[in-house]
Amino acid sequence: MKEIRTVIIGFGGMGKKYAKIIAEGQAPGLTLQGICCRNQPGQQEIRTLYPQTALYQDVEDTFSHQEDFDAVVIATPHSTHVEIGKKAFSCGKHVFCEKPLGITAEAAEELAAAKRADTEFAVMFHCRTFPAFRKAKEMLDTGVLGHVTRAVWICNNWFRSPWYHSSASWRSSWNGEGGGLLLNQCQHYLDMWQWLFGMPDAVDADIDFGKYNDFAVDDSVDLRLYYGSRKDGRPPFRGSLISSSGEHPGSNRLEIWGTCGKLTVEGGKTVLWDKNDVNTDTFNRENRVIFGQPSHHEEVVALEPEEDAYVTMFRNFSDHLRKGTPLIAPGEEGIGGLLLANASYLSAWTGERVKFPLDEKQYGELLEEHRRAELEKG
């Protein structure tokens, strides 16, 4: 089958990881055609590690050689993703973009709209490959839990020290990254939330900005997500997501209650199914004991073996381009996590519950206000 000549744009932490995966042949069908890197130390490293690979000085230089490659992997700072992606699509190239797709959902929608019919689009949400989350989605989609009534996710296992936040000028700022915890680390779990439960009707957010750090963006969040009557007839349910990048040791525990029991995903590794012997709807109709409760029993759910998530994503991208295998994370689905983040910021700034569809104009205006304030503060 055809080899997909691939260029990595950006040679920071993730770009180096992705180049290694492709260069070592861990994703059959992808070949490392070139790497785009603007800084001299990175360029020297590329010459040493990948002497047979084309080296491009910047994005303009990369696309001046567009006939030499078929696909790009975008691993640059968040604010550059949309414009690079749009350029790639205009040149007829396939795009695999690091998360998030952009800083705002509106910009991400523009990127998705720029995709040509002869191109493909994926986003790096590798947490979707984790066997525990895949099993949870399977159980939700097949109705094993019955009607879902509540979900609570404590995921404050994102500890980052000031050294991390200052490691690049664009990090952890409104002007560089477009946000903090919700635009960076939490994009994985915001994506996972909408992948598991769908998009909510509204979000109400309590956010601490600079609680643990001397910056203007968020490092601690409490989100409440509201779901009304579902299209498939399921009743309303509520969700809570609690996260922080300043607390340690952290937890990663997702608990989902349904009429048939409680599902727990612990550490992204273990799935516990505490099953009601009789679902609560039936028990409520039939019970005649004043303090009666359904009996229940817990079991550890068997999972598939875990593989390297990033390698799995690149293999999937290759298989999609060459064989038509469905994408694990189509690029268009990267918009959902950004919508949740943008709506959460808007809720915190206005002190109000924000309903979907999001007022993207209002969000953009308030984001610009926060960018100006950040610059004025210095």
Side-chain angles (χ1 to χ4, degrees):
M1 292 186 176
K2 179 184 177 182
E3 293 289 307
I4 308 300
R5 301 168 300 168
T6 307
V7 168
I8 306 289
I9 301 180
F11 197 63
M14 301 314 297
K16 292 178 181 180
K17 178 189 288 287
Y18 301 157
K20 186 173 186 291
I21 289 172
I22 297 174
E24 291 182 350
Q26 297 184 65
L30 299 185
T31 58
L32 187 60
Q33 170 64 28
I35 302 173
C36 171
C37 177
R38 296 185 303 175
N39 66 78
Q40 291 298 321
Q43 291 178 5
Q44 185 54 51
E45 186 175 351
I46 292 166
R47 293 188 184 99
T48 301
L49 293 175
Y50 310 109
Q52 304 304 315
T53 297
L55 173 60
Y56 304 120
Q57 303 294 315
D58 51 32
V59 173
E60 183 177 348
D61 183 29
T62 301
F63 287 104
S64 71
H65 296 83
Q66 61 179 279
E67 299 304 321
D68 296 337
F69 57 91
D70 310 299
V72 299
V73 177
I74 302 173
T76 54
H78 305 169
S79 62
T80 64
H81 290 180
V82 169
E83 290 308 311
I84 295 174
K86 289 165 70 173
K87 178 67 174 177
F89 283 139
S90 72
C91 295
K93 306 306 174 184
H94 308 300
V95 173
F96 195 174
C97 188
E98 178 57 65
K99 63 80 190 165
L101 292 183
I103 287 175
T104 67
E106 184 175 29
E109 289 161 355
E110 292 176 1
L111 174 56
K115 177 184 175 300
R116 289 178 16 179
D118 59 345
T119 60
E120 300 296 340
F121 186 22
V123 60
M124 180 56 82
F125 281 126
H126 66 283
C127 292
R128 292 189 182 196
T129 73
F130 294 177
F133 290 126
R134 295 185 71 83
K135 176 58 70 172
K137 180 169 175 58
E138 175 190 316
M139 295 176 72
L140 285 165
D141 289 350
T142 57
V144 172
L145 275 69
H147 297 309
V148 175
T149 57
R150 185 179 301 278
V152 177
W153 200 343
I154 300 175
C155 48
N156 63 340
N157 58 327
W158 299 115
F159 183 79
R160 298 291 186 272
S161 73
W163 185 260
Y164 167 86
H165 296 296
S166 62
S167 64
S169 60
W170 56 271
R171 286 197 185 279
S172 307
S173 64
W174 294 118
N175 285 278
E177 196 164 18
L181 174 65
L182 288 174
L183 251 290
N184 191 331
Q185 295 82 18
C186 265
Q187 273 297 293
H188 286 296
Y189 290 166
L190 291 179
D191 170 69
M192 194 65 60
W193 186 283
Q194 60 92 28
W195 187 57
L196 292 171
F197 306 114
M199 287 294 291
D201 299 306
V203 61
D204 193 0
D206 286 324
I207 299 178
D208 292 305
F209 298 96
K211 179 177 181 179
Y212 300 103
N213 300 274
D214 183 20
F215 54 45
V217 295
D218 50 307
D219 52 10
S220 180
V221 301
D222 290 70
L223 310 184
R224 292 170 296 280
L225 301 114
Y226 299 88
Y227 292 79
S229 297
R230 315 300 298 281
K231 291 181 179 179
D232 58 7
R234 289 179 289 171
F237 84 93
R238 301 289 181 262
S240 299
L241 187 146
I242 301 165
S243 190
S244 167
S245 59
E247 297 163 352
H248 186 77
S251 298
N252 182 7
R253 184 180 181 88
L254 170 61
E255 295 185 289
I256 309 166
W257 285 265
T259 52
C260 293
K262 179 178 73 171
L263 187 69
T264 302
V265 182
E266 185 68 55
K269 304 287 186 181
T270 304
V271 177
L272 303 175
W273 173 224
D274 199 349
K275 182 180 180 181
N276 292 329
D277 293 325
V278 178
N279 73 60
T280 53
D281 288 340
T282 300
F283 186 86
N284 288 337
R285 288 195 303 269
E286 298 177 353
N287 174 61
R288 297 298 181 267
V289 178
I290 188 170
F291 291 117
Q293 296 182 3
S295 58
H296 59 102
H297 62 279
E298 185 177 82
E299 62 184 63
V300 178
V301 179
L303 302 176
E304 297 176 353
E306 184 169 342
E307 300 178 348
D308 185 297
Y310 292 103
V311 171
T312 298
M313 291 296 287
F314 276 101
R315 287 178 178 172
N316 173 251
F317 184 59
S318 176
D319 288 345
H320 176 71
L321 295 180
R322 297 181 303 123
K323 306 174 186 178
T325 302
L327 286 169
I328 292 171
E332 294 82 357
E333 293 186 14
I335 297 171
L338 278 170
L339 280 169
L340 288 173
N342 293 173
S344 297
Y345 287 141
L346 186 57
S347 174
W349 292 337
T350 62
E352 298 177 354
R353 182 182 298 181
V354 171
K355 296 181 179 180
F356 292 99
L358 175 68
D359 185 337
E360 295 179 347
K361 181 175 183 294
Q362 182 187 21
Y363 177 73
E365 291 172 349
L366 289 178
L367 176 60
E368 285 305 312
E369 287 184 15
H370 283 77
R371 283 174 164 167
R372 287 195 295 270
E374 183 180 62
L375 290 173
E376 291 171 2
K377 183 179 179 181

